[in-house]
């Protein structure tokens, strides 16, 4: 299972990378805005900074919505760094763009996936990754994890090579459930990765070990 961090915050990306468990980064226009990164040139420079921190797989999202513009923007984003994966929204022109980029050997991540049908279409177009949004489905009373299970089953049926990148993963439980049902990748905030570390019995057990050592080694 691969861990991606879902942020444009350079400190968080560095912290996850230094932990030694980070396989990639996802961003989106909202995450860029949250860090105060605005304007095409600044955003592209920020993608480069992220690429300079991590080993590979940095999703950079297009903001165009029509085929010609999406393709042009996708090619420009891919030219920033070989680590870039072009993130394309699940719309009709997005599917055409994924196919065109995929035919050129450029990796893509189809984002805003909320149904198995969308996942099938993106895989048929040759997407490297699809991003189903678990948390946002949960937010409106649908079971996000059920969607991941359905897509895992469908992709297994046909041997689709598209990887399931579970997104809108907000906490350690989401992450563990994704591992149980077989998502290839999870992308989540640093807090969800760090949350995996925690157990009160680990803390109390370590405190006892250290106290016993101190008693016997005065
Ligand atoms: O990767 C998609 C993610 O950024 C969406 O997360 O928490 O805004 O639903 P969230």
């Amino acid at each position: 299972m691969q861990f991606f961090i879902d942020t444009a915050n350079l400190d968080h990306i560095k912290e996850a990378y230094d932990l030694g468990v980070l396989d990639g980064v996802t961003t989106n226009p909202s995450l860029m805005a949250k860090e105060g990164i605005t304007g095409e040139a600044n955003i592209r420079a920020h993608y480069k900074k992220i690429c300079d921190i991590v080993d590979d797989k940095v999703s950079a999202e297009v903001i165009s919505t029509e085929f010609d513009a999406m393709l042009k923007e996708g090619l420009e984003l891919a030219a920033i760094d070989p680590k870039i994966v072009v993130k394309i929204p699940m719309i009709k022109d997005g599917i055409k763009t994924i196919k065109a980029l995929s035919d050129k050997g450029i990796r893509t991540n189809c984002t805003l996936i909320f149904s198995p049908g969308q996942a099938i279409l993106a895989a048929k177009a040759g997407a490297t990754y699809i991003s189903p949004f678990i948390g946002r489905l949960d937010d409106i009373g649908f079971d996000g994890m059920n969607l991941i299970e359905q897509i895992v089953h469908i992709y297994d049926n046909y041997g689709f090579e598209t990887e399931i990148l579970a997104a809108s993963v907000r906490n350690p439980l989401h992450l563990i459930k994704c591992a149980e049902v077989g998502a290839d990748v999870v992308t989540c905030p640093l807090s969800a990765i760090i949350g995996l570390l925690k157990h009160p019995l680990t803390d109390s057990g370590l405190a006892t070990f250290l106290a016993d050592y101190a008693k016997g080694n005065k």
Side-chain angles (χ1 to χ4, degrees):
M1 182 186 216
Q2 297 176 62
F3 281 9
F4 289 7
I5 191 164
D6 194 31
T7 185
N9 182 294
L10 299 180
D11 290 336
H12 287 193
I13 293 167
K14 278 187 197 125
E15 188 174 336
Y17 184 77
D18 288 347
L19 202 55
V21 299
L22 193 68
D23 300 294
V25 181
T26 51
T27 60
N28 60 41
S30 304
L31 292 170
M32 281 287 179
K34 191 173 166 191
E35 298 305 319
I37 315 295
T38 56
E40 186 180 279
N42 290 333
I43 289 171
R44 292 183 181 188
H46 201 74
Y47 284 137
K48 183 63 184 161
K49 286 181 192 166
I50 295 173
C51 289
D52 288 345
I53 297 171
V54 300
D55 295 333
D56 196 12
K57 302 170 185 169
V58 176
S59 281
E61 187 160 341
V62 301
I63 44 109
S64 313
T65 54
E66 287 170 9
F67 174 70
D68 289 340
M70 288 174 107
L71 183 58
K72 177 174 177 288
E73 197 184 346
L75 291 170
E76 288 169 359
L77 290 173
I80 293 172
D81 194 287
K83 296 175 187 174
I84 291 285
V85 175
V86 181
K87 202 171 182 187
I88 310 274
M90 167 39 77
I91 55 176
K92 193 172 174 185
D93 284 39
I95 289 297
K96 288 169 65 177
T97 308
I98 288 167
K99 173 73 175 134
L101 290 172
S102 164
D103 285 348
K104 291 178 186 294
I106 293 172
R107 295 175 298 176
T108 56
N109 173 2
C110 186
T111 190
L112 292 165
I113 296 277
F114 291 95
S115 78
Q118 292 177 325
I120 293 169
L121 207 45
K124 288 287 295 175
T128 314
Y129 303 96
I130 53 147
S131 291
F133 279 34
I134 297 174
R136 291 193 192 183
L137 280 169
D138 290 353
D139 288 345
I140 59 162
F142 289 85
D143 184 356
M145 210 55 64
N146 186 45
L147 174 62
I148 303 294
E149 282 186 85
Q150 284 180 290
I151 300 171
V152 167
H153 182 71
I154 292 166
Y155 281 12
D156 281 353
N157 281 348
Y158 296 100
F160 282 127
E161 288 179 7
T162 299
E163 293 193 45
I164 302 167
L165 193 174
S168 191
V169 165
R170 304 204 182 128
N171 56 55
L173 188 58
H174 269 157
L175 200 157
I176 293 162
K177 290 279 177 198
C178 282
E180 282 179 359
V181 303
D184 299 293
V185 189
V186 287
T187 191
C188 57
L190 181 63
S191 58
I193 298 174
I194 296 296
L196 295 177
L197 285 167
K198 294 186 183 145
H199 198 289
L201 292 178
T202 304
D203 296 341
S204 61
L206 180 61
T208 304
F209 287 156
L210 296 179
D212 288 344
Y213 175 86
K215 270 188 255 167
N217 292 277
K218 278 185 183 160

